[in-house]
Amino acid sequence: MFEWSEEVDQVEVWEEKLLSNQAEINRLRAEQAELVGRLDPHQIAWSAGDRNLTDWLSATLDISHQTARRLRTLAYAPDSQIKSELSKGAISLDRAAVLVELSQTGLSEAEVLSFSPDYSLGRLYGLLERRRRVSREDAQTLFSDRYLMIQPSLDQSA
């Protein structure tokens, strides 16, 4: 027999608080992207000795390279409805970054925003991969730039 507890009454409250916290995180991520866009022209990553902005963000903010790359993507994106939605807390950083990348593949921003709520993040990433164009020359360059170098180690093993 199921016993009703006071915790069951709190489920909706906890869910609402969880969604409210996520909206606040989204708003803060939009602000971070704005700050990254302002810092980058000053070559902050180079002055700190990092290879690029993504590495600097990852180390400085203690976030994954994926999150750092998404912040950088939004920092470089022109002001748009997508960035506005992130600033309002309506969409997440992950969704905003993939929507910006989709809008750069030739889809209009209005088009992207109209169908994206119906898609999971995984489906949006799949759509992005299908829309990316790789020319024959690019594929050949990628293939020819791969190489394997074997050097002897200190104990003379390879």
Side-chain angles (χ1 to χ4, degrees):
M1 173 114 183
F2 177 74
E3 285 188 36
W4 193 265
S5 70
E6 289 186 27
E7 280 195 1
V8 173
D9 292 334
Q10 293 295 314
V11 169
E12 288 182 16
V13 173
W14 295 336
E15 182 181 10
E16 187 65 34
K17 181 68 174 168
L18 182 67
L19 294 172
S20 170
N21 287 349
Q22 185 59 43
E24 181 63 23
I25 290 167
N26 296 340
R27 286 188 287 275
L28 289 172
R29 288 292 190 202
E31 189 175 329
Q32 281 183 321
E34 175 72 25
L35 292 171
V36 167
R38 290 181 183 192
L39 284 170
D40 190 37
H42 299 285
Q43 298 183 345
I44 189 112
W46 287 84
S47 64
D50 289 296
R51 291 182 306 163
N52 55 42
L53 183 62
T54 302
D55 287 345
W56 181 80
L57 285 169
S58 180
T60 303
L61 300 179
D62 194 26
I63 57 177
S64 70
H65 271 75
Q66 292 170 329
T67 303
R69 186 184 58 76
R70 290 174 182 139
L71 278 172
R72 189 195 69 211
T73 297
L74 284 170
Y76 293 152
D79 285 337
S80 64
Q81 183 64 29
I82 295 169
K83 288 171 91 172
S84 174
E85 290 294 311
L86 179 64
S87 296
K88 289 190 269 183
I91 60 175
S92 68
L93 173 69
D94 299 332
R95 185 170 292 272
V98 75
L99 294 180
V100 165
E101 290 180 33
L102 274 170
S103 67
Q104 293 169 350
T105 65
L107 292 172
S108 72
E109 189 175 296
E111 216 176 2
V112 168
L113 284 170
S114 69
F115 70 75
S116 67
D118 299 331
Y119 281 61
S120 68
L121 278 174
R123 290 209 45 203
L124 287 172
Y125 284 118
L127 179 61
L128 178 62
E129 288 304 313
R130 286 191 302 278
R131 293 196 54 84
R132 284 196 177 136
R133 302 281 184 230
V134 178
S135 69
R136 187 172 294 190
E137 294 80 24
D138 291 339
Q140 182 62 39
T141 302
L142 286 171
F143 178 77
S144 64
D145 286 347
R146 296 180 189 170
Y147 64 92
L148 174 66
M149 182 183 294
I150 300 175
Q151 295 179 332
S153 62
L154 292 175
D155 66 353
Q156 298 304 314
S157 63

